[in-house]
């Protein structure tokens, strides 16, 4: 998320609003917004009964004062002549020495996403929400306490302007297996057209003492969705949580991992998509934990990448015990994934997720160390272990330093956003603001997915707002099923899964029947540097069983989804 001074932006931002009306301090003024953004002062958005905020006089800020939000809320009022989409900017200051903050965004009293405020010692402007919908007439825009303690000067509204995607037509993995090519092409060809249904699973095996892999008919989350909607999800989420670390050599842990891999093969055979993340436990195997002390969870690990990687010298300490432990774990997981490649299965691979939150050990040493770890993983998996069946997914947030955590375009196929409402609530909005912000951060170069979530956005909302998430994947348990917060209920799944915008397993004819289609355009344009440029295509090809075969002209393949 780029931060820049207002005087560097105002010369290039124009708005074509017609007679937009702004509500200020209980009265309405008419504004002709033909040549300037619409500015709403924070001091005019203070609620009369909110005594948690403080208006602070400061001569050199807009309007002569700003609001120290502390633990309070702000509510801006605006009247627009027509229903439409707008971009919201926020001018704020958050002194360094603390932590970045997140505040909730509401539109007309309904949660509409979050705004990430990075530490900044001077008042600067960020794009708070890339795309919000305002309806004709009076509207309220709320900045609602979440982490709090942001100093806000004003917000501004400009007319939303769409930017094109420029996506690669081939995955980042060199010499991808045929299955991986098909999976990536499937994601590519449906991105912006339909959304892939998915869910995270908790228990992959039967409670029979034999660790028998479950099926769509028996696995708890999958069965709940099918019973509620009459349809099955395409994407099924798995976790290597018990595949490494303390206890992973035990019978139960090994049974869990074996069932996970076998169920992934089953999902692929049914025409579905297996997705793997990895809650990577302490590589030193000293404590069975992946959380850090700052997360507030116990037990926690104090493992540090810094003991294995020299950040200043930008090189790995290859003789250190910590480096050897990292490599051992990576090789263990690679060997597990190789069993999928040998079975002709491709998978979405989402490692080191939510790193910037620093509640997992792989984020505690900062962005540079995390990026180095990701790239080491990529090198071991692809170049040493010859894993070519993975589609690589990076999980981002929307903070100003999000791009610092990014491993790089050459290592990532899909950018995912993990989104949960806080405080937790059932809300099926499209999350278009987050979609647009992620798109902007990464320059429209990557497919964008809702890689984890609570409530599933309703398909009609996504379609109307242009929130074209590649897939959704609510977390297991009471995030996916009825519970105390009712993030998703049986009625939710009935609505979601029976909408034509959603791809279900019943739409999938099977991977053996897919052939690849040469994409003509995704969004507004393709990344022509990578779009089926034969000079970028390796000479080797893997068949569905992971064996090398001769590569024919890749353009002759055609892939489609029967609609």
């Amino acid at each position: 998320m780029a931060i820049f001074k207002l005087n560097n932006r105002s010369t290039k931002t124009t708005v074509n609003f017609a007679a937009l009306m702004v509500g200020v301090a209980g009265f309405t003024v008419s504004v002709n917004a033909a040549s300037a953004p619409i500015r709403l002062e924070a001091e005019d958005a203070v609620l009369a009964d909110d005594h948690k905020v403080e208006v602070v006089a400061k001569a050199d800020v807009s309007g002569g004062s700003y609001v120290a939000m502390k633990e309070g809320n702000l509510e801006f009022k605006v009247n627009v002549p027509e229903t439409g989409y707008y971009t919201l900017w926020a001018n704020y200051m958050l002194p360094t020495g603390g932590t970045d903050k997140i505040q909730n965004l509401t539109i007309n009293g309904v949660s509409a996403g979050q705004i990430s405020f990075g530490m900044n010692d001077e008042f600067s402007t960020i794009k708070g929400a890339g795309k919000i919908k305002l309806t004709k007439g009076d509207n309220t825009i709320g900045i609602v306490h979440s982490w709090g303690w942001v100093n806000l000067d004003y917000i501004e509204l400009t007319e939303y302007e769409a930017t094109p995607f420029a996506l690669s037509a081939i995955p980042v993995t060199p010499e991808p297996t045929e299955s991986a090519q098909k999976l990536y092409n499937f994601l590519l060809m449906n991105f912006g057209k339909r959304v892939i249904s998915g869910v995270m699973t908790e228990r992959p095996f039967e409670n029979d003492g034999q660790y028998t892999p479950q099926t769509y008919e028996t696995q708890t989350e999958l069965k709940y969705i099918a019973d509620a909607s009459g349809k099955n999800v395409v994407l099924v989420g798995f976790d290597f949580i018990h595949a490494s670390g303390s206890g992973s050599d035990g019978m139960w842990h090994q049974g869990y991992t074996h069932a996970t891999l076998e169920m992934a093969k089953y999902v692929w055979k049914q025409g579905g998509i297996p997705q793997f993340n990895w809650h990577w436990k302490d590589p030193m195997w000293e404590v069975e934990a992946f959380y850090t002390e700052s997360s507030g969870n116990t037990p926690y690990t104090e493992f540090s990448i810094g003991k294995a990687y020299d950040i200043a010298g930008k090189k790995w300490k290859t003789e250190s015990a910590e480096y050897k432990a990292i490599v051992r774990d990576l090789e263990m997981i690679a060997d597990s994934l190789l069993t999928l490649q040998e079975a002709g299965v491709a998978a979405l691979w989402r490692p080191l997720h939510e790193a910037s939150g620093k509640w997992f050990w792989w984020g505690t040493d900062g962005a540079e160390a995390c990026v180095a770890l990701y790239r080491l993983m990529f090198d071991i998996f692809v170049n040493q272990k010859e894993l070519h069946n993975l589609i690589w997914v990076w999980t981002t947030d929307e903070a100003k330093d999000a791009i610092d955590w990014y491993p790089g375009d050459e290592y990532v196929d899909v950018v995912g956003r993990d989104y949960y409402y806080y405080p937790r609530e059932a809300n099926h909005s499209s999350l278009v603001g987050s979609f647009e912000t992620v798109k902007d951060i990464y320059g429209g170069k990557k497919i964008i997915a809702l890689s984890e979530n609570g409530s599933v956005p309703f398909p009609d909302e996504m379609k109307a707002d242009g929130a074209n998430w590649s897939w959704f994947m609510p977390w297991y348990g009471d995030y996916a099923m009825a519970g105390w917060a009712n993030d998703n209920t049986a009625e939710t799944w009935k609505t979601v899964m029976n909408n034509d915008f959603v791809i279900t397993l019943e739409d999938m004819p099977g991977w053996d029947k897919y052939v690849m289609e040469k994409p003509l355009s995704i969004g507004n344009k393709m990344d022509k540097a990578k779009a089926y440029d034969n000079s970028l295509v390796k000479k080797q090809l893997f068949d569905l069983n992971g064996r090398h075969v001769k590569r024919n002209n890749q353009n002759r393949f055609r892939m489609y989804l029967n609609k």
Side-chain angles (χ1 to χ4, degrees), residues 236-515:
V236 179
F238 301 104
D239 198 339
F240 279 127
I241 186 171
H242 300 302
S244 69
S246 177
S248 62
D249 51 355
M251 181 180 295
W252 188 92
H253 291 72
Q254 291 188 358
Y256 182 101
T257 301
H258 172 75
T260 294
L261 292 165
E262 291 304 308
M263 191 173 171
K265 296 173 188 176
Y266 161 80
V267 167
W268 181 266
K269 187 175 181 180
Q270 301 304 308
I273 300 172
Q275 184 269 182
F276 281 87
N277 39 261
W278 182 18
H279 283 89
W280 187 353
K281 296 174 185 175
D282 174 19
M284 296 302 290
W285 293 36
E286 294 175 350
V287 59
E288 192 172 356
F290 40 79
Y291 283 118
T292 62
E293 183 178 11
S294 65
S295 73
N297 290 279
T298 55
Y300 61 84
T301 175
E302 296 180 342
F303 184 84
S304 170
I305 302 174
K307 294 181 179 180
Y309 180 73
D310 180 358
I311 296 177
K314 301 183 185 301
K315 61 181 180 180
W316 288 99
K317 304 174 185 178
T318 56
E319 296 303 315
S320 68
E322 289 78 10
Y323 174 81
K324 292 177 181 178
I326 287 173
V327 171
R328 178 204 58 226
D329 283 3
L330 289 174
E331 290 179 342
M332 288 175 62
I333 299 302
D335 287 341
S336 290
L337 290 167
L338 277 169
T339 67
L340 300 182
Q341 179 167 293
E342 291 165 359
V345 176
L348 300 171
W349 173 236
R350 191 171 67 95
L352 308 185
H353 65 295
E354 300 176 4
S356 61
K358 300 184 179 180
W359 41 79
F360 299 132
W361 65 258
W362 49 86
T364 54
D365 290 285
E368 187 173 343
C370 182
V371 168
L373 180 60
Y374 184 104
R375 292 178 179 177
L376 175 66
M377 178 189 297
F378 190 94
D379 178 61
I380 290 174
F381 278 25
V382 175
N383 299 320
Q384 298 181 33
K385 287 293 188 175
E386 296 188 348
L387 266 172
H388 300 272
N389 64 325
L390 303 180
I391 302 303
W392 291 72
V393 184
W394 173 249
T395 308
T396 187
D397 59 16
E398 300 171 42
K400 72 171 185 177
D401 66 344
I403 199 68
D404 296 337
W405 293 83
Y406 184 51
D409 288 343
E410 63 270 42
Y411 301 99
V412 175
D413 293 300
V414 179
V415 173
R417 175 73 166 100
D418 290 4
Y419 194 97
Y420 296 91
Y421 287 99
Y422 181 80
R424 189 170 167 183
E425 65 173 292
N427 186 318
H428 301 282
S429 300
S430 70
L431 296 175
V432 66
S434 290
F435 181 89
E436 287 293 326
T437 298
V438 172
K439 177 183 176 183
D440 287 347
I441 291 172
Y442 298 96
K445 295 180 181 179
K446 298 297 174 181
I447 295 169
I448 303 171
L450 197 54
S451 45
E452 277 185 35
N453 57 280
S455 296
V456 174
F458 279 149
D460 287 343
E461 296 281 339
M462 287 188 279
K463 189 174 182 180
D465 292 344
N468 295 313
W469 304 102
S470 178
W471 70 79
F472 56 75
M473 191 188 77
W475 202 242
Y476 61 70
D478 66 0
Y479 283 102
M481 304 177 291
W484 72 267
N486 283 329
D487 304 75
N488 297 292
T489 64
E491 192 62 30
T492 299
W493 287 112
K494 183 178 180 181
T495 298
V496 169
M497 298 292 283
N498 288 283
N499 190 296
D500 289 341
F501 189 68
V502 177
I503 302 172
T504 69
L505 190 68
E506 289 69 27
D507 296 314
M508 307 287 284
W511 291 107
D512 58 335
K513 297 180 182 179
Y514 279 119
V515 288

Side-chain angles (χ1 to χ4, degrees), residues 95-330:
T96 55
T99 61
D100 295 345
K101 305 294 184 183
I102 292 174
Q103 297 285 60
N104 292 324
L105 174 68
T106 65
I107 305 296
N108 296 321
V110 178
S111 297
Q114 300 169 337
I115 301 178
S116 296
F117 296 91
M119 288 179 288
N120 200 58
D121 288 323
E122 297 182 1
F123 278 95
S124 297
T125 301
I126 59 170
K127 181 182 286 187
K131 188 178 183 182
I132 61 173
K133 185 177 182 179
L134 300 178
T135 57
K136 181 178 180 179
D138 293 332
N139 294 264
T140 59
I141 300 172
I143 310 295
V144 179
H145 171 261
S146 177
W147 295 9
W149 301 95
V150 174
N151 300 315
L152 193 66
D153 188 8
Y154 58 82
I155 65 171
E156 286 185 336
L157 299 173
T158 59
E159 186 176 15
Y160 167 72
E161 296 182 7
T163 56
F165 279 94
L167 304 175
S168 171
I170 57 176
V172 295
T173 298
E175 304 174 4
T177 64
E178 184 180 347
S179 297
Q181 292 183 64
K182 287 186 175 184
L183 176 52
Y184 182 77
N185 192 264
F186 172 73
L187 298 175
L188 187 69
M189 296 309 300
N190 285 285
F191 184 54
K193 299 175 183 176
R194 300 176 75 186
V195 63
I196 300 165
S197 57
V199 71
M200 184 67 191
T201 58
E202 181 177 18
R203 188 182 181 91
F205 57 82
E206 300 275 9
N207 189 24
D208 59 1
Q210 302 297 316
Y211 307 104
T212 303
Q214 302 228 45
T215 67
Y216 273 98
E217 289 76 26
T218 62
Q219 203 285 324
T220 303
E221 287 80 14
L222 300 181
K223 186 176 186 300
Y224 180 87
I225 294 169
D227 288 347
S229 68
K231 301 286 184 68
N232 291 285
V233 297
V234 174
L235 184 151
V236 179
F238 301 104
D239 198 339
F240 279 127
I241 186 171
H242 300 302
S244 69
S246 177
S248 62
D249 51 355
M251 181 180 295
W252 188 92
H253 291 72
Q254 291 188 358
Y256 182 101
T257 301
H258 172 75
T260 294
L261 292 165
E262 291 304 308
M263 191 173 171
K265 296 173 188 176
Y266 161 80
V267 167
W268 181 266
K269 187 175 181 180
Q270 301 304 308
I273 300 172
Q275 184 269 182
F276 281 87
N277 39 261
W278 182 18
H279 283 89
W280 187 353
K281 296 174 185 175
D282 174 19
M284 296 302 290
W285 293 36
E286 294 175 350
V287 59
E288 192 172 356
F290 40 79
Y291 283 118
T292 62
E293 183 178 11
S294 65
S295 73
N297 290 279
T298 55
Y300 61 84
T301 175
E302 296 180 342
F303 184 84
S304 170
I305 302 174
K307 294 181 179 180
Y309 180 73
D310 180 358
I311 296 177
K314 301 183 185 301
K315 61 181 180 180
W316 288 99
K317 304 174 185 178
T318 56
E319 296 303 315
S320 68
E322 289 78 10
Y323 174 81
K324 292 177 181 178
I326 287 173
V327 171
R328 178 204 58 226
D329 283 3
L330 289 174

